[in-house]
């Protein structure tokens, strides 16, 4: 059974950096897409970034492009490096696994429990 466990969240100030990590139980297939989504209070879960595992192609939402970087940390971990954080980045961040770099929640089968990121102004 696939399990995804996020870590690295916390409370930071605007302008700070933070790195989230997602540990995947077992091997991540090269055909898989690993993604990060986030959900702020009262808002829908939204796409943040994704990486196509085998070839390393990366995708970002417009709101984080240039500030966030998704990367493979190891054969079974994916990181999200976040810099120049803004208060509007405050959300619960979720790791997910799917088969295409979709921005739609419905296209991802496996999800972690989430890690809270709070950015104070």
């Amino acid at each position: 059974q696939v399990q995804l466990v996020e870590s690295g969240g916390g409370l930071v100030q605007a302008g700070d950096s933070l790195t989230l990590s997602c540990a995947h139980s077992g091997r991540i297939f090269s055909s898989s897409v690993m993604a990060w989504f986030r959900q702020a209070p009262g808002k829908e879960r939204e796409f943040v970034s994704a990486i196509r595992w085998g070839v390393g192609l990366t995708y970002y939402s417009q709101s984080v492009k240039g500030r966030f970087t998704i990367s493979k940390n190891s054969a079974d971990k994916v990181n999200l490096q976040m810099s120049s954080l803004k208060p509007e980045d405050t959300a619960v961040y979720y790791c997910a696994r799917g088969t295409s770099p979709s921005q739609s929640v419905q296209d991802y089968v496996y999800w972690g429990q989430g890690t809270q990121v709070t950015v104070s102004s």
Side-chain angles (χ1 to χ4, degrees):
Q1 184 174 352
V2 173
Q3 288 187 324
L4 302 176
V5 180
E6 303 94 337
S7 62
L11 172 63
V12 296
Q13 293 187 332
D16 284 352
S17 298
L18 198 63
T19 297
L20 306 182
S21 184
C22 172
H24 180 287
S25 63
R27 172 177 166 243
I28 301 177
F29 297 111
S30 60
S31 59
S32 296
V33 170
M34 299 299 296
W36 288 94
F37 283 74
R38 66 186 181 186
Q39 188 166 18
K43 295 189 176 181
E44 292 187 353
R45 194 169 297 189
E46 65 171 2
F47 172 82
V48 174
S49 181
I51 183 168
R52 189 177 285 280
W53 202 250
V55 295
L57 286 174
T58 57
Y59 309 84
Y60 298 94
S61 69
Q62 279 300 122
S63 62
V64 307
K65 190 175 290 185
R67 299 188 299 122
F68 290 12
T69 302
I70 191 170
S71 63
K72 299 179 187 180
N73 186 30
S74 66
D76 58 0
K77 285 187 180 179
V78 57
N79 279 3
L80 183 70
Q81 295 173 275
M82 306 183 294
S83 61
S84 302
L85 283 162
K86 306 174 182 179
E88 51 264 44
D89 294 318
T90 295
V92 177
Y93 283 70
Y94 296 91
C95 178
R97 196 189 97 178
T99 57
S100 67
S102 168
Q103 297 193 14
S104 176
V105 170
Q106 298 93 305
D107 291 329
Y108 291 84
V109 178
Y110 302 102
W111 291 85
Q113 293 299 306
T115 185
Q116 176 71 46
V117 173
T118 303
V119 184
S120 64
S121 57

